[in-house]
Amino acid sequence: MARQEINRSGEMEVFVSVVERGGFSAAATARRMTPSAVSKLVARLEARLGIRLVNRSTRRLQLTPEGCAFYERSIAILADIAEAERQASSGEEAAGRIRINTSGSFGNHVLAPLVPAFMTLHPAMTLDIAHTDRVVDLMEERADVAIRAGPLKSSSLIARKLGATRKLIVASPDYLGRHGEPRSVADLRRHCRIGFSYARAIEVWPMRESGETVTIPIPSGIQVADGEAMRHLALSGAGLARLAAFTVRADIEAGRLVPVLEEANPGDIEEFYALYIGQGGPLPARVRALLDFLAAHVRL
């Protein structure tokens, strides 16, 4: 008897639909199949792989760890297939899913306002945006692009500069009303200075005093893992924060935060880069479209 041909990409498409639609019935409707056909297909897939992909003991669909891994790989494989087909036909249309990993501050204050314009230009694209200030492994996180301050030291990554921003020390009017505004660099030592707790965080504030750059250590009283948390603490009156100008620009304009000791600001800047994995070949159209858009529209 001839061996039955296995449509692996078709199986993956149905399985991805089950996960993204949240169940067999919804996936069946989307794929124009019956729920029993979808259920049997997933069962055959599990039998062929020798693993359980989905737990069926609860009303809500629940992936096993193996199911999560298979789902992630299926998305990547289906995207590669779609990209190959587009390049073989018209090729250069930017379409498909792109995963972006960036800090909460950049994501909220710079990237989010640009998303509507990007999606208008590229309606066939879908964006998956994750916020974290920690250093990530693009392969492990399955991210296409990471946006970070400063290029990461990795030979496997290519960095494209998006711009640079000043750093400002800010505080809320409430905090300054209770504790007084620092009038000199030495005054900073008696104030609560909020610091970062993540790896690669700078543990001092550079300041300019008598024509020289001096450093003020950041005590361990309050530490946070991301810039947005620091911004909110400053807004709540918890202490002084040193943040990228774009993070607090709207708060300063609205009077929610006040720049402190600008005359002692050393003028150091923080450069932002879009980082992606370079493998020597041409970039997928979806990644190239995002990088070109960010380079043209990001204003820090």
Side-chain angles (χ1 to χ4, degrees), residues 238-285:
L240 305 178
R242 189 170 191 263
L243 290 162
F246 66 77
T247 302
V248 295
R249 186 174 292 122
D251 296 318
I252 293 172
E253 292 173 353
R256 295 186 292 265
L257 292 175
V258 178
V260 171
L261 283 178
E262 268 295 271
E263 66 277 8
N265 191 323
D268 57 319
I269 60 172
E270 192 169 48
E271 296 181 334
F272 277 77
Y273 292 83
L275 301 137
Y276 55 96
I277 298 172
Q279 297 179 342
L283 280 174

Side-chain angles (χ1 to χ4, degrees), residues 186-300:
D187 280 352
L188 289 175
R189 297 181 182 277
R190 65 179 179 84
H191 285 268
C192 176
R193 304 181 296 284
I194 307 169
F196 285 114
S197 60
Y198 61 83
R200 295 174 70 239
I202 298 174
E203 298 179 352
V204 297
W205 288 356
M207 303 296 295
R208 197 73 177 165
E209 186 178 44
S210 301
E212 297 182 355
T213 298
V214 298
T215 56
I216 302 296
I218 305 170
S220 59
I222 303 178
Q223 290 185 322
V224 294
D226 63 86
E228 277 299 278
M230 180 178 288
R231 170 177 167 266
H232 282 289
L233 281 169
L235 286 168
S236 71
L240 305 178
R242 189 170 191 263
L243 290 162
F246 66 77
T247 302
V248 295
R249 186 174 292 122
D251 296 318
I252 293 172
E253 292 173 353
R256 295 186 292 265
L257 292 175
V258 178
V260 171
L261 283 178
E262 268 295 271
E263 66 277 8
N265 191 323
D268 57 319
I269 60 172
E270 192 169 48
E271 296 181 334
F272 277 77
Y273 292 83
L275 301 137
Y276 55 96
I277 298 172
Q279 297 179 342
L283 280 174
R286 58 193 172 84
V287 176
R288 186 172 63 252
L290 176 69
L291 294 173
D292 290 344
F293 181 86
L294 292 176
H297 292 87
V298 165
R299 298 290 181 270
L300 301 181

Side-chain angles (χ1 to χ4, degrees), residues 9-24:
S9 64
E11 288 180 340
M12 288 180 178
E13 288 175 348
V14 173
F15 178 69
V16 167
S17 291
V18 169
V19 176
E20 296 186 343
R21 300 281 177 170
F24 295 121

Side-chain angles (χ1 to χ4, degrees), residues 67-102:
C68 289
F70 187 75
Y71 167 69
E72 296 290 343
R73 290 296 299 139
S74 295
I75 289 175
I77 290 169
L78 292 173
D80 287 342
I81 293 173
E83 185 69 24
E85 290 177 345
R86 282 191 295 271
Q87 289 185 4
S89 54
S90 59
E92 293 305 315
E93 179 188 3
R97 178 182 305 203
I98 186 163
R99 300 188 175 201
I100 307 169
N101 190 292
T102 186

Side-chain angles (χ1 to χ4, degrees), residues 43-232:
R44 287 198 304 271
L45 177 60
E46 290 177 321
R48 182 164 60 81
L49 297 177
I51 56 173
R52 180 173 290 278
L53 299 173
V54 180
N55 286 324
R56 298 166 175 79
S57 59
T58 60
R59 287 186 179 182
R60 187 175 181 181
L61 181 142
Q62 185 181 54
L63 290 177
T64 65
E66 293 79 11
C68 289
F70 187 75
Y71 167 69
E72 296 290 343
R73 290 296 299 139
S74 295
I75 289 175
I77 290 169
L78 292 173
D80 287 342
I81 293 173
E83 185 69 24
E85 290 177 345
R86 282 191 295 271
Q87 289 185 4
S89 54
S90 59
E92 293 305 315
E93 179 188 3
R97 178 182 305 203
I98 186 163
R99 300 188 175 201
I100 307 169
N101 190 292
T102 186
S103 67
S105 293
F106 189 97
N108 285 316
H109 300 285
V110 180
L111 181 60
L114 296 176
V115 166
F118 179 79
M119 296 305 294
T120 298
L121 283 175
H122 303 288
M125 296 273 286
T126 57
L127 298 181
D128 184 344
I129 303 171
H131 289 172
T132 176
D133 278 35
R134 66 180 177 84
V135 177
V136 299
D137 183 319
L138 266 64
M139 292 293 288
E140 182 178 328
E141 296 291 329
R142 296 182 174 85
D144 296 293
V145 175
I147 302 172
R148 287 291 181 271
L152 300 186
K153 297 179 180 179
S154 172
S155 58
S156 65
L157 296 179
I158 299 174
R160 184 164 178 177
K161 186 176 178 180
L162 300 179
T165 184
R166 295 176 66 239
K167 301 293 287 289
L168 304 174
I169 297 176
V170 295
S172 70
D174 174 67
Y175 176 87
L176 296 177
R178 288 184 287 113
H179 298 278
E181 183 173 347
R183 300 295 180 183
S184 67
V185 173
D187 280 352
L188 289 175
R189 297 181 182 277
R190 65 179 179 84
H191 285 268
C192 176
R193 304 181 296 284
I194 307 169
F196 285 114
S197 60
Y198 61 83
R200 295 174 70 239
I202 298 174
E203 298 179 352
V204 297
W205 288 356
M207 303 296 295
R208 197 73 177 165
E209 186 178 44
S210 301
E212 297 182 355
T213 298
V214 298
T215 56
I216 302 296
I218 305 170
S220 59
I222 303 178
Q223 290 185 322
V224 294
D226 63 86
E228 277 299 278
M230 180 178 288
R231 170 177 167 266
H232 282 289

